[in-house]
Amino acid sequence: MAAHIRRRLRKGATTTAVAAAAVAALAASQAPAATLAEGPVGGGDPKAAGEDTASAADDGAATGNSPYYTDLPPLVTPDKPGSSSNLPVTGSAEAGIPASILAAYKQAEQTVATTDPTCRLPWQLLAAIGKVESGQARGGRVDTNGTTTSPILGPALNGQGFALIKDTDGGAYDSDAVHDRAVGPMQFIPSTWASWGQDANGDGRKDPNNIYDAALAAGRYLCANDRDLAIAADLDKAVLSYNRSTEYLRTVRSWFSYYQRGTHEIPDGTGRLPTTPSIPSGSTPSPNPGTPSPGTTPSPKPSPDKPGGKPTPGPSKPGDGSTSPKPKPPTSKPTPAETFGSLENAGTGPLRATAGQAFDERVAVLARNALGAPLGKVSVTFTVTGNTGTLFAGGKKTVTVRTGADGTATAPELRAGEKAGEFTVTAVAGTGRPRTLTYAATVTARQADTIARTDEKALVAAPGEKFADAVTVKATYKDAAAAGVAVTATMVKDPLGLFDNDKGPYFKDAAGKPVRTLATLTTDAEGMLRLPEIFADGTEGTYLLRLTTEGGASVVIELTIQAPEETAPEGTTPEETAPKETETPEA
């Protein structure tokens, strides 16, 4: 431990106060050092299981509580707090992150942000865990696809100083057909990888030895149980779910804070390897920390079981020396396949309908679990918001539907109200941190593509009189009667209605005053419209009345104001009624 502390102080303590702070922080951890045996394939990595375990709600441990690196960040931060994390490619190897590893963390952050944005996963948290678990994949020793050049394996979880987790993968991932081992740069045990594994690089395989696959799996695992990682308590729970040790939490937290202050990209394979593991109480550290002494076998304290692993006996109390096995209490923690992950649009098209008509499209959503697979039996509540009068079938504004086996839930048919305008349909699912989708929808006014008079009788009125014959029209849409269509009637000077007319025929408003435009007319259930009475002023001539509908249909009707012709009394001829010239008598 003294060597451990001195190593920390050499890394940047420049004042007594800083050194004292480092010593206090390390002393508070109470985590003794340990050495680990190498694995059979490619060598094992020195990692340490913290002696004390923490209550992490019902979270398990992604690594099976395998050992981990306890190296702490340099006391001199890469840049001042709040600086950019996209700094130039300069600085120490310890402060930098290998290029492929950094790219994988950032890609995982972006992917999770699209499927579970409320988790708010920061890539710096993945970097902190990757540093503690594998030293950033052994300093970035990966090929061009992001796969480690040799397997990274933890010790066999055989119950000899570790948790007892018997083989669950037939040795497929860890080359051990007897016991499981933590595998890859993010150190997943096989039973956990079977539930959380991802194919992030699109090669058709879920490979725990590939940093892209492993980083995305770690991101989804940390976001489980509706966690919001911008909340400190949720972030702590997430880290403890990876390894249930408070010392582990402190170590990851320190690197997380370090990377938040700034880091930089370094070439793959040039990262600095961690050197400091921990040793359980009562064991003797080897002369060279990180390298096992000849003939020695690591014996760290047993750790709680991994979710998905087999029940493992452990000491009744960590560090008390007891050897009496005590089974881990069973939990009812939902599996990743049962955990609600995200809510997405299931292909809903544009929502548009004419007033009073049914919408052709129905709102549909897709629920996914924490692994990104479709999730059934999720309750989704759909709500209509707006003042168009639109409702779901049955006259309801809110309905709840459960997703089927394919993860989709489809709302009932929408029926447009009579008022044109926009409204929204909101889909909400999940508890704790509900996922929400909002769909915009539009109700358009009823339309007609044709409007015409029902007869062809001439419309004539004498000056100052009213037109004796009413104007009746019928509107149709696709050859069917267009009911409820708004119609505007305007007295115009030209057939196109470009100029209104202020002389000739007119309507009367409610107060009896002349008006030459009516915009409140609507066709009846049969598409028929009978115009109000039309009056003539004293100006004779032929005038135009233009009717237009929603949908662009129009008709122009002629109105004539003409004084009636004088007629001769019955039994006389026009010559007899004509005025006669009078003779002027001669003087």
Side-chain angles (χ1 to χ4, degrees):
M1 175 61 81
H4 187 178
I5 295 173
R6 285 195 297 274
R7 184 157 48 253
R8 291 291 174 275
L9 298 182
R10 286 199 300 270
K11 285 187 177 180
T14 57
T15 67
T16 301
V18 174
V23 173
L26 292 172
S29 73
Q30 296 297 311
T35 59
L36 302 179
E38 295 205 346
V41 181
D45 284 316
K47 294 155 54 105
E51 183 178 80
D52 53 336
T53 56
S55 171
D58 289 327
D59 293 329
T63 65
N65 292 315
S66 293
Y68 57 92
Y69 289 116
T70 61
D71 289 50
L72 296 176
L75 294 178
V76 178
T77 58
D79 202 52
K80 62 185 180 180
S83 67
S84 169
S85 60
N86 297 314
L87 300 177
V89 184
T90 59
S92 70
E94 185 161 8
I97 299 177
S100 293
I101 314 304
L102 181 60
Y105 296 149
K106 292 185 175 182
Q107 177 178 299
E109 178 192 60
Q110 294 171 356
T111 300
V112 172
T114 62
T115 60
D116 189 4
T118 55
C119 174
R120 295 190 282 185
L121 170 73
W123 67 261
Q124 292 91 341
L125 180 59
L126 296 174
I129 290 176
K131 179 71 172 180
V132 170
E133 291 295 341
S134 68
Q136 310 297 19
R138 290 180 177 158
R141 288 167 174 80
V142 296
D143 61 22
T144 55
N145 294 320
T147 302
T148 57
T149 53
S150 62
I152 301 176
L153 299 174
L157 299 175
N158 56 12
Q160 303 299 312
F162 302 101
L164 173 60
I165 303 180
K166 294 184 179 180
D167 177 64
T168 61
D169 67 330
Y173 294 121
D174 56 11
S175 299
D176 189 334
V178 179
H179 298 97
D180 274 348
R181 298 169 180 260
V183 181
M186 302 305 282
Q187 289 289 276
F188 280 95
I189 61 173
S191 57
T192 304
W193 185 258
S195 296
W196 292 90
Q198 303 287 309
D199 176 19
N201 63 353
D203 64 356
R205 299 178 60 233
K206 297 178 181 180
D207 185 0
N209 295 297
N210 182 275
I211 185 59
Y212 291 96
D213 293 357
L216 180 57
R220 295 200 187 282
Y221 184 90
L222 293 167
C223 288
N225 298 329
D226 288 336
R227 296 189 187 104
D228 180 351
L229 300 183
I231 299 174
D234 277 8
L235 188 142
D236 287 350
K237 289 179 181 178
V239 174
L240 287 170
S241 77
Y242 223 85
N243 191 313
R244 297 182 66 182
S245 162
T246 51
E247 168 63 13
Y248 181 85
L249 173 60
R250 282 193 289 266
T251 306
V252 170
R253 272 285 198 174
S254 66
W255 281 105
F256 177 50
S257 177
Y258 182 77
Y259 288 136
Q260 281 186 311
R261 286 180 169 83
T263 185
H264 57 274
E265 179 184 299
I266 60 176
D268 288 347
T270 64
R272 180 178 299 175
L273 289 174
T275 59
T276 310
S278 290
I279 295 178
S281 300
S283 59
T284 302
S286 61
N288 182 12
T291 303
S293 300
T296 62
T297 300
S299 57
K301 294 294 180 183
S303 302
D305 293 336
K306 173 72 189 158
K310 299 181 180 179
T312 306
S316 59
K317 181 179 179 181
D320 67 357
S322 170
T323 58
S324 300
K326 181 180 291 185
K328 181 181 178 182
T331 66
S332 59
K333 178 176 181 275
T335 66
E338 298 170 332
T339 303
F340 183 32
S342 63
L343 190 68
E344 304 170 11
N345 184 357
T348 306
L351 296 172
R352 292 190 293 265
T354 301
Q357 303 299 311
F359 282 76
D360 292 333
E361 286 284 331
R362 293 171 63 180
V363 179
V365 298
L366 170 63
R368 295 186 183 276
N369 62 20
L371 302 176
L375 181 62
K377 298 182 180 179
V378 175
S379 293
V380 183
T381 299
F382 299 92
T383 303
V384 174
T385 304
N387 59 357
T388 64
T390 300
L391 299 170
F392 289 113
K396 297 180 179 180
K397 294 190 69 172
T398 300
V399 295
T400 300
V401 181
R402 299 188 76 183
T403 60
D406 62 352
T408 62
T410 303
E413 181 182 69
L414 282 167
R415 182 162 289 275
E418 290 298 335
K419 184 176 180 181
E422 296 181 350
F423 68 97
T424 60
V425 178
T426 303
V428 180
T431 58
R433 283 190 303 114
R435 277 59 160 182
T436 301
L437 287 178
T438 300
Y439 299 80
T442 303
V443 175
T444 58
R446 294 175 183 263
Q447 298 181 355
D449 53 19
T450 303
I451 185 170
R453 285 189 66 191
T454 58
D455 61 60
E456 297 181 356
K457 189 175 181 179
L459 299 170
V460 180
E465 301 295 333
K466 69 178 179 180
F467 288 81
D469 297 309
V471 176
T472 302
V473 294
K474 181 175 182 178
T476 58
Y477 182 70
K478 295 181 179 179
D479 297 325
V485 174
V487 179
T488 299
T490 305
M491 302 298 176
V492 295
K493 292 181 178 179
D494 61 293
L496 295 178
L498 299 177
F499 302 97
D500 292 352
N501 206 335
D502 58 358
K503 293 182 174 61
Y506 61 89
F507 303 102
K508 288 184 178 180
D509 63 14
K513 294 182 179 180
V515 293
R516 290 184 166 83
T517 297
L518 293 178
T520 58
L521 306 173
T522 305
T523 60
D524 63 17
E526 302 299 326
M528 304 291 289
L529 171 64
R530 181 186 176 95
L531 270 61
E533 292 182 325
I534 302 175
F535 300 86
D537 66 6
T539 308
E540 295 188 64
T542 299
Y543 298 90
L544 302 178
L545 168 62
R546 190 169 191 265
L547 304 180
T548 58
T549 72
E550 289 288 345
S554 66
V555 62
V556 176
I557 301 169
E558 286 191 355
L559 301 172
T560 301
I561 300 177
Q562 176 181 302
E565 295 183 359
E566 293 186 8
T567 58
E570 189 177 349
T572 61
T573 63
E575 290 79 4
E576 294 176 328
T577 58
K580 296 181 179 180
E581 293 184 4
T582 57
E583 295 181 359
T584 303
E586 294 181 2

